[in-house]
Structures are given as C-alpha cells and as structure tokens.
C-alpha cells in the first residue's frame, strides 16, 4: 500500500502566457523524468503534445503526468530524513475557450499552483480560474513568474491578488533585484538570501546574507507573515509578542500549512521558470503546504437507492469510489477515461459499477499517464489519478464505484456554449466519417454541442469561442481525415418571457375509433430568481403542480411536465432555447376513454406555443467581458471602435504605461475584432474576451434575427 502522506495531486493554472507549460517542463526536468528541458516556443514541450498545440504555442488540452520529488534535500542531495514524494500534476490551458479543461481538473485535484505573470499581474482568466478554485474549495499557492522581464513587480502582484481576487495573499519571499538584475530571493521563514546557480540550471543554490538595503522591508514582511499565520496557533501568537525570533522554522511551516489548507491565506512566492529560478523552492512549498489526499475532508456523495448522504475516506481499505473527469481518444489504445480514485483499491481486470447507467463496467487495463504516453500499472489506490481502458460507456462526470457499495459523487457543471458554426461534409464518403468524428469529439469535450438544423439539414456545432471551434474543425480534418465546408460563426441567442400569463389549452382530435383529448389550465412565465439561485445551473425549468380534486389524474402529470420541458428547447420568437421558464398547472379536465399520456404531452407543447406568444417573449444576446491593453496614443480610436460595437465602457486603468480598457460588448459585434484592433493600433494592442451574461437585444437587432430565422430577409432598397 502506498503511503498517502507522501503524495500530492496538484494542478498548474493561470492566464494565457503566464508560463504554465514552461514551469511544468522545469518540474519534469528537476524530478528526473526528462533529461532535456522542452521549450514551448520551439514546439518541443512534453506536455503540449498535440500538433495544434505545438504550432500555436498554446495549451489546448490538460495533460497529466506523474513524477517523484525528494524532500527535504541538501542542495539537491538526499539526506537521512529524505522521503520520496509522488506528484500527480495536471498542466491546464489558459485560454478562456478551454476553461472546461481547468474546471474538470480542479474538481479532482487537492491543490493548485496558481501562476501569475510578474508584469501583467492578475488578468481576466486568472479571475476565472480563481472562481473555479473557490467553487471546489481548492487550497492554492501563488507563484509570480517572469521576474526577469522588464516591468516585473512582485509586491504589486501580491497587492492585486488581495484587491482583485479578495484573497489573503502573504509573501513567503522577497525578490533580490528585479527585471534584468533578478538573482534570487530572501526567504522570510529562514531569513536567509538564496541565489540559484546558473551552471547546473538552478539545481543548487547559495545562501547569501540579506542585502543591507532590504533589511527594513524584510523585517516588515516577516512581521506580516507571522501575524497572518499566528491567528492559527495561539502559542505562536504568545511567542510572537514575547520574542518574535523565538519562533522556529518547523512551527512556521506547520502553521502556514494549516492556514493554506483552510484557504485562509495564500502563500506567495516568486521566480522565473524560463531562467530556472525558483521552481525547486515552489516544489518544496507544494510538499510543505499543499494538502495530501489524507488532509482533505472525506469526499461526500449520495446513495443512489435512497438518496442518503455517504462519505468515503481516502483509505485503500474503504469501498472503491472514483470520478471520471476526462475522456480522451488515443490512436493506439482507443478510449481512455481519466479518473481520480477517492477511496478503495481497483485492480486491472475487475468490474466497477457506473452509477449513471446502473451497469457494471470491466476495466481491463489501468494506466499511469505521462502527457500522451501510458505506463500500465496492476492496480490503483485511493488518492491516485489514473486512466482506464476497455470500458463500454463512461462519460465525463460519471462515478465509478464498488458494485456492492454504490455511491454518486457530485458531478461537474459545464458552461453553456456562446457561439456556433454550420458544417457540412464535402463528399458522400465524408458523411459517415463526420458522424464518427463528431461522436468522438463530443464524448471528449462536454462543452461542445451538436444539433441538426431541421430546415437546412446542416450540422450546427456550438462551442465556447472562435478558437475552440477552429481547433475542433482542424482536429476533424487531421485526426479523422474528414473534408468539410464550414459557414460563418453564429451567435447562440436565447429567449425569455417577460410576463406571467394564464392560458387554457384544449386538444381534441377525433379520427374514428379512439380520439385524443386533453385540457390544461396553466400559468406560464419566467422562473423565480430564488429557484434559479438554488439550482445553480442544474436546471432552468420550474414546474409547479397545483392540481386538486383529481381534475387531471396523477399519472398524466409527468407527461405534461415532459411536454413543456421538451418544448423549451425551441423558443416562440425565432426558435432559440428558452433561458428559464416556470409553469404552474392549476386545473384542467380529461376524458375517460380518449385521454392518455401522449395527449397531455401534445397539449402541453401546443399550449406552450400559444401562450408563449402572449407572455411578452424577448430575444437575449450574449454579452462578453472585453479587456483591451493599448498604448496611450491609440486610446481614442480603440474606445471609439468599442462604442460603435454597442460596447458599454466600464473603466480605464493604466498599468506600466499601457492603458487597460474594460468594457461589456455584445458577442454579435465582436467577430473579426482582433484583426480590426491590430489595424487600429499598428499591431500593438491586445485583447482578451470571456462570456459575462445574457441581456435583452435591442429591438432593431431582435427584428433582424427573428426575420432571418423565419427566412424573410429584408431586401435592401
């Protein structure tokens, strides 16, 4: 049995270009997995193994790897008390279009190394990642990377983490020098300076005295650190007041660990991964402060048979429970299901129960992953992350457990897609290939949705952004050899009701023999805000049954509910899905012979269309949160352009001589924005965009969209 005390499962997450993959590559080098450091800009990074990743120099899919780290060591050499720690690391993408990859990784990890760029600080995607980590209560360590770049400012980033992310960030180090002169750090726990040796790529370091000009600052931040941590340990607080120097290193580490696991502080460190500085110290901090599988609370789930709450401790003797968090198709071994084992032990070749399908699945082989290479293992135990091969039907978010002890673990929530493109196969031979390719891609990526447009017969792919869909189409061409034509990107609109109205719908059909009869009186309108808050994205359909006195038999109520729920997918204005809806069934009547479940379902659908037109339906459009970084001289042109795109400016800041413009802009106006921005600013401005919320579209826009949907395009006069 593996000792879980010596294991850490953590991820590396951050904004685009903060240096996640570069940091992971350094970790693989220092832990001895790779003997050569792979670089992203050369396309040689181990973790970016997809062709699309190597070409673009970005991470698209989260890659998992396992490595070992010796701790504590003296200058990289083992000591008698050295233990070998096992690391399961997931390198996640930074681009907002692939946010689902971060979401599902955080769901199964115990800790997170959050990277920040020392120049840019907290960026939009850093906020998104932070929110996701808060949702799953993941303890984090902050690492401020790129200290060697001009404009690097460690303390400013710490301040931003406090202000923008609302976290209690506490520096554990202060940098010695910055930008070109960045050499090392002062450790506020040991009160010693550390300078890494460049000759052996930072494997060893030298201890140097604290520079004179820094002593005051060091003492101030040391005091802050002790105060922040002392809240966790009364003894420390007493010691601090008596004699601050009497606090030992071990006591400090212990208190920081407790406070980090409780997410009451975020320890902040700094370095430069590219220059091989600070990564080893960050790995030591992972061992010291981030929780192992035993430190986190027992995982909660429910019994599928009676809905009781169950817990599973991270122990190999407990019944087996695991969560599948990612499906991947490998050309050599077929489908792989990545899963995190929370309790128990699973041997290769044994059976597990999938609680979603209620069927048993045979896991023929178990793999430990290293990027896209698999190393087979005989078994897997609690606290570990592996990949299963040889299953029939496992999807992202499924619980796999022991057949005699069923449990359902909390699944993940995925965001709704905001953008769609139409695709069609070029030749007849591509038709079947396209169907297979889409089936595999949808299985891998839960944020990718597919539907067929009934009128045109085209296949509509919906995803999280232009880049996301571009990669999907590129993969279809390369991996699955499908030739396709694609249309212009479309916006994923929604519809909503503005008013609640009462309506009576009667269905009578007499065709000889048995007829169809159903009669329902109901109220229809938008769902209650309290209900939506409670559900937290699980459902947006609120059904209230107010029937009394048997006016409609009980057995027909589910059919009415089903009718309304399925009708919700096509709105009454232009056929876009309904954002939310509340139906309250009050009364009705039935016929002894002619009424059946089908009649009531049809009646509900008919009633929805009739009543929906009266409930003041409106068209909603997705609004994006846009952040533009531009030099001063282009400021006027950029803001003018955003105003033309119906943008609402929310604020302007200046960071390091660059203007930061924040605005909310409708997605329909943002196509081709990047190209336009480049030409306005001679290629010097950059922008990031992520989904914010839905808002009612202005009348003229709504009319156009509705007319287009109905195929009545206005002829230009």
């Amino acid at each position: 049995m593996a000792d879980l005390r010596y294991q850490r499962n953590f991820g590396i997450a951050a904004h685009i270009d903060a240096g996640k993959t570069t940091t992971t590559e350094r970790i693989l080098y220092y832990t001895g997995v790779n003997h050569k450091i792979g670089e992203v800009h050369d396309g040689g990074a181990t973790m970016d193994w997809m062709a699309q990743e190597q070409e673009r120099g970005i991470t698209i899919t989260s890659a998992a790897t396992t490595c070992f780290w010796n701790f504590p060591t003296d200058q990289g050499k083992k000591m008698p008390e050295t233990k070998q720690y096992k690391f399961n690391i997931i390198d996640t993408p930074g681009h907002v279009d692939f946010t689902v990859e971060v979401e599902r990784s955080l769901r199964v990890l115990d800790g997170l190394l959050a990277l920040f760029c020392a120049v840019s600080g907290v960026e939009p995607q850093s906020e998104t990642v932070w929110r996701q980590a808060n949702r799953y209560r993941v303890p984090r360590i902050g690492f401020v990377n790129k200290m060697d770049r001009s404009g690097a400012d460690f303390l400013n980033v710490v301040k931003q983490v406090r202000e923008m992310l609302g976290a209690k960030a506490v520096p554990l180090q202060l940098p010695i020098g910055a930008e070109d002169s960045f050499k090392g750090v002062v450790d506020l726990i040991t009160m010693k300076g550390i300078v890494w040796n460049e000759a052996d790529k930072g494997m060893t370091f030298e201890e140097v005295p604290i520079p004179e000009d820094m002593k005051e600052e060091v003492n101030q931040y040391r005091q802050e650190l002790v105060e922040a941590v002392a809240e966790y340990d009364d003894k420390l607080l007493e010691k601090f007041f008596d004699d601050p120097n009497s606090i030992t290193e071990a006591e400090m580490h212990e208190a920081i660990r407790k406070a980090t696991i409780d997410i009451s502080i975020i320890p902040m460190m700094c370095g430069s991964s590219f220059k091989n500085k600070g990564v080893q110290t960050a790995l030591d901090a992972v061992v010291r402060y981030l929780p192992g599988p035993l430190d986190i609370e027992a995982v909660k789930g429910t019994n599928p048979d009676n809905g009781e709450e169950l817990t599973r401790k991270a122990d190999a003797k407990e019944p087996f429970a695991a969560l599948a968090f990612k499906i991947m198709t490998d050309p050599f071994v077929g489908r792989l299901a990545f899963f995190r084992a929370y309790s128990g032990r699973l041997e290769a070749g044994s059976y597990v129960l999938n609680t979603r399908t209620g069927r048993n699945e045979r896991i023929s082989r178990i793999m430990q992953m290293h990027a896209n290479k698999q190393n087979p293992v005989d078994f897997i135990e609690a606290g570990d992350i592996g990949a299963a091969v040889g299953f029939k039907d496992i999807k992202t978010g499924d619980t796999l457990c022991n057949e005699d002890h069923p449990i359902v673990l909390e699944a993940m929530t995925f965001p709704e897609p905001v953008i769609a493109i139409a695709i069609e196969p070029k030749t007849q031979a591509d038709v079947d290939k396209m169907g297979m390719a889409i089936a595999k891609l949808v299985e891998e990526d839960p944020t990718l949705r597919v539907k067929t447009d009934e009128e045109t017969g085209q296949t509509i792919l919906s995803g999280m952004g232009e880049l996301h869909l571009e990669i999907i189409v590129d993969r279809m061409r390369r991996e699955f050899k499908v030739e396709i034509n694609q249309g212009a990107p479309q916006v994923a609109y929604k519809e909503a009701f503005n008013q609640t109205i009462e309506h009576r719908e009667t269905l009578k059909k007499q065709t000889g023999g048995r007829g169809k009869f159903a009669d329902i009186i109901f109220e229809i309108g938008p769902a209650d805000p309290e209900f939506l808050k409670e559900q937290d994205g699980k459902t947006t359909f609120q059904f209230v049954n107010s029937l009394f006195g048997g006016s409609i038999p009980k057995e027909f109520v589910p059919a009415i509910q089903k009718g309304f729920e399925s009708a919700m997918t096509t709105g009454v204005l232009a056929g876009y899905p309904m954002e939310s809806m509340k139906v309250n069934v009050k009364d009705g009547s039935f016929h002894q012979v002619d009424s059946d479940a089908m009649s009531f379902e049809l009646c509900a659908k008919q009633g929805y269309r009739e009543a929906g037109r009266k409930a003041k339906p409106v068209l909603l459009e997705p609004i994006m949160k846009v952040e533009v970084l531009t030099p001063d001289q282009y400021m006027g042109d950029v803001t003018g352009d955003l105003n033309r795109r119906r943008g609402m400016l929310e604020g302007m800041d200046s960071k390091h001589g660059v203007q930061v413009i924040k605005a909310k802009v409708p997605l329909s106006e943002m196509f081709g924005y990047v190209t336009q921005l480049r030409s306005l600013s001679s290629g010097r401005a950059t922008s990031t965009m992520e989904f914010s919320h839905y808002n009612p579209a202005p009348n003229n826009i709504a009319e156009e969209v509705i007319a287009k949907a109905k195929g009545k395009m206005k002829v230009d006069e």
Side-chain angles (χ1 to χ4, degrees):
M1 245 175 85
D3 193 337
L4 292 178
R5 285 178 305 178
Y6 306 121
Q7 182 166 325
R8 298 288 180 270
N9 303 319
F10 66 99
I12 298 178
H15 188 82
I16 310 159
D17 277 350
K20 294 178 290 294
T21 306
T22 306
T23 307
T24 315
E25 292 298 322
R26 297 304 180 271
I27 295 175
L28 294 179
Y29 175 74
Y30 295 134
T31 52
V33 175
N34 286 356
H35 299 295
K36 173 178 158 283
I37 295 182
E39 296 296 2
V40 175
H41 51 262
D42 303 334
T46 315
M47 303 303 272
D48 286 354
W49 50 270
M50 280 169 74
Q52 293 82 345
E53 295 181 312
Q54 290 169 358
E55 284 167 15
R56 295 161 199 256
I58 60 168
T59 307
I60 293 168
T61 167
S62 51
T65 183
T66 305
C67 53
F68 294 91
W69 179 246
N70 293 323
F71 174 84
T73 55
D74 179 28
Q75 300 283 11
K77 291 184 181 65
K78 287 187 183 179
M79 299 188 301
E81 64 267 31
T82 300
K83 298 277 189 289
Q84 195 182 47
Y85 283 79
K86 177 178 176 183
F87 285 174
N88 286 317
I89 308 173
I90 298 185
D91 174 31
T92 64
H95 202 287
V96 63
D97 286 17
F98 309 109
T99 178
V100 60
E101 291 284 337
V102 185
E103 178 95 23
R104 53 186 175 189
S105 306
L106 287 178
R107 169 71 180 81
V108 298
L109 291 170
D110 303 332
L112 180 69
L113 189 61
L115 263 59
F116 298 98
C117 168
V119 184
S120 320
V122 174
E123 296 176 274
Q125 190 57 16
S126 323
E127 295 179 25
T128 312
V129 168
W130 208 260
R131 280 201 301 276
Q132 289 170 320
N134 284 342
R135 186 178 312 148
Y136 297 121
R137 289 201 51 80
V138 180
R140 313 128 257 173
I141 295 176
F143 182 74
V144 178
N145 190 18
K146 304 196 176 184
M147 283 301 298
D148 56 321
R149 285 216 2 228
S150 63
D153 185 344
F154 172 63
L155 289 172
N156 184 39
V157 178
V158 172
K159 184 167 140 234
Q160 282 185 350
V161 171
R162 283 179 192 160
E163 290 171 359
M164 293 167 75
L165 304 175
K168 194 170 178 185
V170 181
L172 302 185
Q173 306 168 331
L174 286 179
I176 305 175
E179 304 181 359
D180 296 347
S181 61
F182 173 68
K183 308 203 276 288
V185 297
V186 172
D187 189 327
L188 296 176
I189 299 171
T190 58
M191 296 297 275
K192 290 173 181 160
I194 299 173
V195 173
W196 287 278
N197 296 321
E198 294 195 6
D200 56 5
K201 296 192 175 152
M203 282 285 210
T204 57
F205 57 86
E206 281 170 27
E207 286 187 357
V208 296
I210 298 172
E212 281 299 323
D213 57 342
M214 284 179 71
K215 278 191 172 162
E216 194 178 319
E217 191 179 29
V218 166
N219 287 332
Q220 178 201 334
Y221 278 97
R222 159 86 177 182
Q223 189 176 336
E224 271 190 25
L225 172 64
V226 175
E227 280 175 10
V229 180
E231 293 171 15
Y232 255 71
D233 201 328
D234 298 341
K235 286 179 202 150
L236 275 192
L237 207 53
E238 283 168 23
K239 276 193 166 180
F240 175 66
F241 285 129
D242 296 342
D243 175 14
N245 298 330
S246 65
I247 298 174
T248 63
E249 276 181 49
E251 287 174 324
M252 281 291 283
H253 289 314
E254 185 56 32
I256 296 174
R257 179 177 176 85
K258 278 183 186 160
T260 308
I261 292 175
D262 194 46
I263 322 185
S264 53
I265 69 163
I266 309 286
M268 297 293 286
M269 310 177 67
C270 62
S272 160
S273 300
F274 186 56
K275 295 282 173 63
N276 310 314
K277 290 175 182 168
V279 178
Q280 305 85 321
T281 335
L283 287 179
D284 286 349
V286 164
V287 170
R288 273 198 184 114
Y289 310 130
L290 283 185
L294 295 174
D295 300 312
I296 54 170
E297 296 167 7
V299 65
K300 290 190 177 78
T302 49
N303 184 338
D305 302 331
N306 54 18
E308 279 175 21
E309 192 170 274
L310 301 169
T311 56
R312 291 276 189 273
K313 291 190 195 74
D315 184 352
K317 293 188 179 72
E318 286 252 317
F320 180 74
L323 186 77
F325 64 97
K326 180 175 170 136
I327 309 289
M328 188 176 109
T329 310
D330 185 276
F332 303 109
V333 291
R335 288 189 309 168
L336 288 160
F338 285 69
F339 64 93
R340 155 82 196 258
Y342 283 100
S343 61
R345 171 183 170 118
L346 177 69
E347 307 237 353
S350 53
Y351 284 87
V352 291
L353 170 72
N354 180 348
T355 47
R356 178 180 60 83
T357 57
R359 293 201 188 104
N360 286 347
E361 290 273 2
R362 184 168 181 266
I363 307 293
S364 55
R365 285 182 297 161
I366 303 171
M367 310 283 192
Q368 273 254 263
M369 296 303 291
H370 175 54
N372 61 335
K373 296 183 183 66
Q374 300 95 10
N375 305 323
V377 289
D378 296 332
F379 64 91
I380 194 159
E381 287 188 332
D384 220 339
I385 291 176
V389 182
F391 54 90
K392 285 195 176 82
D393 178 22
I394 297 180
K395 288 194 168 103
T396 304
D398 283 359
T399 305
L400 310 175
C401 57
N402 182 316
E403 337 166 27
D404 304 328
H405 299 86
I407 184 171
V408 179
L409 301 173
E410 182 197 1
M412 297 163 248
T413 49
F414 299 119
E416 289 291 316
V418 289
I419 185 169
I421 54 169
I423 56 168
E424 50 188 32
K426 277 193 179 168
T427 62
Q428 197 55 43
D430 290 320
V431 175
D432 296 344
K433 276 194 236 163
M434 183 170 103
M436 274 174 56
I438 288 177
K440 280 189 174 164
L441 289 166
V442 168
E443 189 176 48
E444 278 183 38
D445 186 345
T447 55
L448 183 69
R449 307 281 164 86
V450 178
K451 64 171 196 227
T452 307
D453 190 322
E454 288 165 10
E455 286 168 15
T456 60
Q458 288 171 318
T459 304
I460 312 282
L461 284 184
S462 324
M464 299 307 295
E466 286 186 82
L467 179 68
H468 180 202
L469 292 176
E470 191 183 314
I471 299 276
I472 291 284
V473 169
D474 191 46
R475 282 186 62 190
M476 283 174 100
R477 284 185 179 136
R478 282 196 204 183
E479 285 173 37
F480 302 99
K481 311 281 187 289
V482 184
E483 284 302 315
I484 48 180
N485 297 322
Q486 67 188 81
Q490 307 284 325
V491 178
Y493 291 101
K494 281 187 175 176
E495 294 181 24
F497 293 135
N498 261 353
Q499 178 181 351
T500 301
I501 62 136
E502 192 166 294
H503 180 81
R504 179 169 196 163
E505 187 67 36
T506 309
L507 173 89
K508 277 185 187 166
K509 278 192 178 158
Q510 206 64 45
T511 48
R514 191 171 165 191
K516 285 201 174 317
F517 179 84
D519 172 33
I520 319 171
I521 299 174
F522 60 93
E523 273 183 357
I524 187 166
D528 302 337
E530 297 83 45
F531 169 81
L532 293 172
K533 202 171 175 183
E534 214 172 274
Q535 292 296 325
D536 194 26
K538 290 191 185 97
T539 176
T540 56
F541 175 56
Q542 184 179 0
F543 184 76
V544 181
N545 176 3
S546 315
L547 292 167
F548 58 91
S551 52
I552 298 176
K554 279 206 293 285
E555 62 265 28
F556 296 148
V557 174
I560 299 175
Q561 187 171 351
K562 185 183 164 196
F564 279 116
E565 199 163 3
S566 61
M568 232 179 119
T569 53
T570 43
V572 290
L573 280 173
Y576 291 106
M578 268 298 153
E579 185 182 43
S580 75
M581 178 167 93
K582 175 180 178 180
V583 172
N584 179 359
V585 179
K586 291 184 151 181
D587 202 358
S589 60
F590 73 107
H591 188 278
Q592 287 288 358
V593 178
D594 290 352
S595 289
D596 56 2
M598 186 71 182
S599 310
F600 276 98
E601 191 179 325
L602 286 171
C603 183
K605 287 182 178 171
Q606 202 170 301
Y608 162 82
R609 279 197 290 280
E610 288 300 319
R613 293 192 188 110
K614 300 176 203 162
K616 296 206 170 154
V618 287
L619 193 75
L620 302 177
E621 58 177 358
I623 308 288
M624 307 303 276
K625 189 161 113 194
V626 180
E627 190 166 291
V628 184
L629 302 175
T630 169
D632 286 349
Q633 62 259 47
Y634 306 114
M635 182 93 173
D637 294 347
V638 171
T639 46
D641 182 57
L642 284 171
N643 285 332
R644 264 203 308 285
R645 295 174 185 269
R646 299 196 283 128
M648 294 282 292
L649 293 183
E650 292 202 319
M652 296 178 195
D653 262 339
S654 67
K655 268 189 206 167
H656 311 295
V658 177
Q659 293 293 333
V660 180
I661 305 169
K662 291 183 175 171
K664 296 261 174 66
V665 193
L667 175 66
S668 55
E669 306 286 342
M670 289 302 286
F671 291 129
Y673 179 65
V674 176
T675 324
Q676 177 70 17
L677 186 65
R678 280 184 193 141
S679 57
L680 281 176
S681 64
S682 318
R684 286 173 65 191
T686 58
S687 70
T688 53
M689 170 167 97
E690 63 174 319
F691 172 70
S692 167
H693 62 283
Y694 273 91
N695 244 6
N699 282 345
N700 57 335
I701 304 279
E703 279 167 13
E704 258 178 52
V705 172
I706 295 166
K708 200 170 178 182
K710 291 184 176 164
K712 299 182 198 130
M713 281 303 292
K714 291 178 190 164
V715 181
D716 294 333
E717 288 166 8

